[in-house]
Amino acid sequence: MSAPAPQAGFKARAAAAIADPTLKIAIDRTTGTAERKRAAAVAAFSEFEAARARGKAIKDHVIAHLDHYLETFERNATAAGAKVHWAASDAEACAIVVRICREADAKLVTRSKSMLGEEIGLPHALADAGIERAETDLAEHIIQLAGERPSHIVWPAMHRTREQVAELFAEGHHPPPTAFDPATMVQSARHELRTKFLSADVGISGANFLVADTGATCTVTNEGNAELTTTPPRVHIVTAGIEKLVPSTAHAFALLRLLVRSATGGELTQYTTFHCGPKRPGDADGPEEMHIVLVDNGRSRMLKDEFREMLRCIRCGACMNHCVVYRQIGGHAYGGVYPGPMGAVLTPVLAGLERSRDLPSACTMNGRCAEVCPVQIPLPTLLRAWRGRSWRERLEPSGLRYGIGLWAAVARRPRLYRFASGAGVRLLRRLGKGGWISRLPLAGGWTGSRDFPKPAGRTFMELYRAEQSGKGGPS
Amino acid sequence: MSARDRILGAIRESLGSTPRDTAAIAAEAAALLADPDAIRPELAGPSLTESFAAKAWGLGTTLDTVADMAEVPAAVSRYLAQYGLGPGLAMQQAPELTGLDWSALAPHDTVAPDEPVALGLARHGIAESGSLVIHSAPDNPILLGFLPLHHILVLERRRMLPHLEDYAALLGREDGIPRNAILITGPSGTTDIEGSYVRGAHGPGFLHVILVGDEE
């Protein structure tokens, strides 16, 4: 019921996740639906490939001129009456948000889902400052009740079955839901959160896009919680990564077509909202103050090398929905804020490779993530780049380095390699029953949760030679 | 050094200090919007209205059509009767609406936290996606579109636009960039519990459009 212990390593968390049958059911239900709906949305959009190439080009253009667009955005947002703040690190960003909340004498803060907020540790920072925080996205509300972190960037509570949500709402809602089907539980959350929306002092949102030529921030939601978060409180704070810029509203629309189809299989989310400055004179409602915190937190460093391509990410979650590893272990096992393939690339940037070198290795290189990425990020290539860097920085445990060194020594000697693999194959066959091997010395990591396929009687090279000699060699 | 200077300095260092040519950047950005038909879906119907209607119905938005604004109160009454709702409704104080004959209903100018029904004007419809556009304004509180369970929007047919880019091109032309510009694409919903779709998460569970005017 509680979040995985952060001090436990990736392997321990992954093993625990694989051993949890309820988790597997929960992951399959959501990722399976997401995969089917995305496929249908892409099939119905015959211009998808062209749109994807354009989306990539738009993001690359912005990244190549990031300083220009940041300054343009700052100028236009300021002209619209917003106050723009800059934060080089997560700690700086949290300090700015907490200071604005204190200046507003905030007792209660509502927040609409923002992965950047999670990245900078904003929930903790608000708790430390003694400010009550109400998460308003339904999934974030669920994990707030559970005291957990998000396990997916689009469906943060996807690791929980409806039965588990029912338990949380029965305890956490006043009054508890009258029934425990999803519709009744959603209604219960609607009632529970409505008073929070209307009594909050500060509303905090993220941004899917920062529009340079208008100075507006853009949020997309299906529930309507972002607008209820940003409208009634006296102060609206936006926290956004500096890579969220687009030149204009039209560029944002070109990316929105890709984002929503890739994330949920819809064409647009129910609410696409542009927030441009605070309440205007005479406006019927809206916040008196709007603050925008532009957060770097490692992004300017990524511009320098191959990880620049990762700055294109629009946080749709398609890579994790299609990842064979994510679908086995879920999001919490990754240990960082961002799970799945995009998380395995980003977490080493944010937390350091030394603390996260297992993540780039937890990949089969099947390439599904890159195939579905709406902005063509070469995720397997970037994961391989981390593996290379980890090797060069000698971060692998010595046993692994020694083993790989031994393998490389054998692999460089073809006759020895053929002899060793031939012997290995014959040995493996003796261990198997039927077509499978259920216990394997030195490979308990594999056979602990699944059987190993029993190899064919001869190696590929042996079979190839036999075939060639039978045919009399290639013509 | 301020965080701003540190961030911009780090970006410039990473990008390399090439002289900035804002005209060239603007030209490149404009080129990225060239040939919009190549990167957007075709309309779902032969006319703007049919395309809008097809998309809207698919999202769970309901639709009624009247010939002119004077028929809007009767259309609202029909909708309320269909759901067994009383005559009270929160109404946007736009002259196009307040000038109509509301003697059969009881509109008011505030929106309560548990307001059952609200009525407002859509600024545009977007045929590509079945979206409705609202802008914040002195006569248009944003909460009007989010607190009620039923949200009714009046859309004049002449305000229908083909694609999202057509709206982007108009944004700011008529009366400046609004504080909030919202594209509403179907009733509020969530798939956060096991991916099963539930309507009426925080915003309206019902979205109804009264389309005004004859097909051109």
Side-chain angles (χ1 to χ4, degrees):
Chain A
M1 290 295 282
S2 62
Q7 68 273 20
F10 169 75
K11 286 178 182 163
R13 288 191 303 265
I18 289 168
D20 180 348
T22 315
L23 178 64
K24 187 77 171 62
I25 292 168
I27 297 169
D28 276 347
R29 284 178 183 170
T30 304
T31 56
T33 310
E35 185 176 4
R36 281 191 301 279
K37 287 173 76 178
R38 178 204 169 270
V42 168
F45 182 21
S46 52
E47 298 79 2
F48 182 75
E49 277 309 318
R52 204 176 165 218
R54 194 78 69 89
K56 171 186 187 288
I58 291 171
K59 292 296 289 190
D60 282 342
H61 165 78
V62 169
I63 292 161
H65 305 289
L66 193 54
D67 53 339
H68 165 74
Y69 281 116
L70 280 166
E71 287 179 328
T72 308
F73 174 80
E74 180 188 41
R75 192 167 58 244
N76 290 323
T78 306
K83 175 105 177 59
V84 177
H85 309 260
W86 302 69
S89 67
D90 47 2
E92 280 182 29
C94 285
I96 292 166
V97 174
V98 167
R99 179 169 52 75
I100 297 166
C101 289
R102 286 209 170 117
E103 282 169 7
D105 199 16
K107 308 277 184 298
L108 173 64
V109 166
T110 43
R111 206 168 77 97
S112 76
K113 185 171 98 64
S114 149
M115 288 311 298
L116 182 95
E118 303 290 334
E119 175 191 318
I120 61 176
L122 194 52
H124 270 291
L126 291 170
D128 289 348
I131 298 164
E132 185 191 346
R133 163 182 61 98
E135 295 291 341
T136 64
D137 172 77
L138 181 67
E140 292 278 349
H141 171 64
I142 292 168
I143 61 171
Q144 184 175 25
L145 288 175
E148 290 178 325
R149 289 165 71 168
S151 64
H152 189 287
I153 63 172
V154 175
W155 294 281
M158 60 98 76
H159 58 285
R160 294 210 158 247
T161 60
R162 72 180 66 184
E163 294 81 4
Q164 293 174 320
V165 174
E167 279 176 36
L168 290 168
F169 282 13
E171 202 174 309
H173 282 184
H174 311 285
T178 51
F180 294 101
D181 57 285
T184 311
M185 288 198 283
V186 170
Q187 286 315 303
S188 179
R190 180 185 173 100
H191 292 300
E192 184 75 20
L193 287 167
R194 187 127 305 199
T195 50
K196 304 273 189 197
F197 281 127
L198 297 172
S199 57
D201 308 294
V202 173
I204 304 177
S205 73
N208 293 88
F209 301 101
L210 303 170
V211 185
D213 74 344
T214 63
T217 68
C218 174
T219 54
V220 301
T221 73
N222 290 320
E223 300 177 6
N225 62 307
E227 294 70 20
L228 287 168
T229 298
T230 61
T231 308
R234 210 178 61 72
V235 178
H236 172 203
I237 305 173
V238 180
T239 57
I242 55 174
E243 84 285 10
K244 293 287 181 191
L245 278 156
V246 287
S248 74
T249 308
H251 294 90
F253 285 143
L255 289 165
L256 273 165
R257 289 195 184 99
L258 297 167
L259 170 64
V260 184
R261 283 174 175 85
S262 301
T264 64
E267 294 184 13
L268 283 183
T269 52
Q270 276 88 332
Y271 303 105
T272 305
T273 300
F274 296 89
H275 310 263
C276 189
K279 187 175 178 176
R280 310 265 169 90
D283 263 1
D285 54 14
E288 303 285 338
E289 294 174 28
M290 182 187 188
H291 298 266
I292 302 164
V293 187
L294 299 173
V295 183
D296 181 343
N297 204 30
R299 288 163 176 76
S300 58
R301 251 194 345 265
M302 291 166 71
L303 282 170
K304 250 185 261 207
D305 49 34
E306 62 264 59
F307 298 106
R308 176 198 279 218
E309 299 210 69
M310 194 61 210
L311 292 172
R312 284 205 296 273
C313 179
I314 53 176
R315 307 288 192 266
C316 69
C319 60
M320 56 198 77
N321 293 335
H322 292 77
C323 174
V324 290
V325 176
Y326 179 90
R327 287 174 73 152
Q328 290 297 325
I329 64 175
H332 285 153
Y334 288 82
V337 168
Y338 301 105
M342 57 80 76
V345 173
L346 275 179
T347 304
V349 176
L350 298 168
L353 183 58
E354 206 166 317
R355 292 176 56 193
S356 54
R357 55 156 287 273
D358 281 332
L359 299 182
S361 297
C363 168
T364 65
M365 295 280 154
N366 72 1
R368 287 287 279 145
C369 51
E371 277 170 28
V372 297
C373 175
V375 284
Q376 299 179 341
I377 299 172
L379 289 154
T381 308
L382 298 180
L383 290 169
R384 216 163 23 233
W386 277 130
R387 291 182 187 181
R389 209 176 274 198
S390 173
W391 184 263
R392 288 192 299 278
E393 292 177 15
R394 308 185 70 83
L395 299 177
E396 278 75 14
S398 57
L400 183 65
R401 288 190 77 85
Y402 180 74
I404 289 178
L406 184 69
W407 178 83
V410 175
R412 277 197 296 265
R413 293 166 176 81
R415 291 171 69 98
L416 180 62
Y417 188 82
R418 271 177 231 149
F419 171 77
S421 55
V425 157
R426 285 174 185 84
L427 181 68
L428 280 176
R429 278 190 69 78
R430 292 185 179 213
L431 293 169
K433 291 196 187 78
W436 299 92
I437 301 168
S438 56
R439 286 172 69 97
L440 201 56
L442 302 176
W446 180 294
T447 54
S449 49
R450 60 221 185 282
D451 288 345
F452 191 85
K454 194 163 114 175
R458 287 189 289 172
T459 66
F460 171 79
M461 285 308 290
E462 286 164 356
L463 290 168
Y464 179 75
R465 283 217 177 141
E467 173 91 5
Q468 292 304 311
S469 61
K471 272 200 293 191
S475 53
Chain B
M1 210 196 312
S2 71
R4 181 184 189 278
D5 294 341
R6 273 182 287 143
I7 294 169
L8 288 173
I11 290 170
R12 287 179 186 131
E13 195 200 314
S14 294
L15 291 175
S17 54
T18 46
R20 185 192 298 176
D21 179 349
T22 51
I25 295 173
E28 206 178 299
L32 289 165
L33 297 174
D35 191 14
D37 282 338
I39 58 159
R40 64 189 177 196
E42 280 173 39
L43 297 186
S47 71
L48 295 187
T49 308
E50 284 164 283
S51 174
F52 175 86
K55 288 294 175 187
W57 281 111
L59 295 158
T61 307
T62 52
L63 213 60
D64 193 358
T65 310
V66 298
D68 60 56
M69 286 296 286
E71 293 177 34
V72 166
V76 173
S77 296
R78 273 202 299 281
Y79 179 83
L80 298 180
Q82 190 190 333
Y83 286 94
L85 295 160
L89 72 156
M91 189 169 81
Q92 181 186 344
Q93 297 300 295
E96 295 90 328
L97 293 176
T98 53
L100 303 173
D101 176 9
W102 292 102
S103 53
L105 292 169
H108 48 264
D109 61 4
T110 52
V111 54
D114 55 352
E115 193 75 48
V117 189
L119 173 71
L121 279 179
R123 200 178 174 91
H124 297 288
I126 295 175
E128 172 189 338
S129 54
S131 305
L132 297 137
V133 180
I134 60 169
H135 286 182
S136 60
D139 72 4
N140 196 20
I142 289 305
L143 292 181
L144 190 76
F146 288 88
L147 290 175
L149 189 60
H150 295 261
H151 189 203
I152 308 174
L153 281 168
V154 175
L155 173 65
E156 291 183 75
R157 206 184 288 261
R158 64 187 174 85
R159 308 287 302 174
M160 191 76 81
L161 301 169
H163 286 283
L164 294 166
E165 285 84 355
D166 300 299
Y167 168 62
L170 281 179
L171 185 65
R173 291 275 165 80
E174 288 169 303
D175 40 13
I177 304 285
R179 175 178 60 80
N180 268 172
I182 306 182
L183 277 69
I184 301 176
T185 312
S188 155
T190 183
T191 54
D192 276 343
I193 302 178
E194 286 187 357
S196 59
Y197 176 64
V198 177
R199 269 165 65 156
H202 289 301
F206 300 86
L207 179 63
H208 183 65
V209 179
I210 301 173
L211 196 58
V212 181
D214 293 317
E215 188 88 50
E216 280 160 25

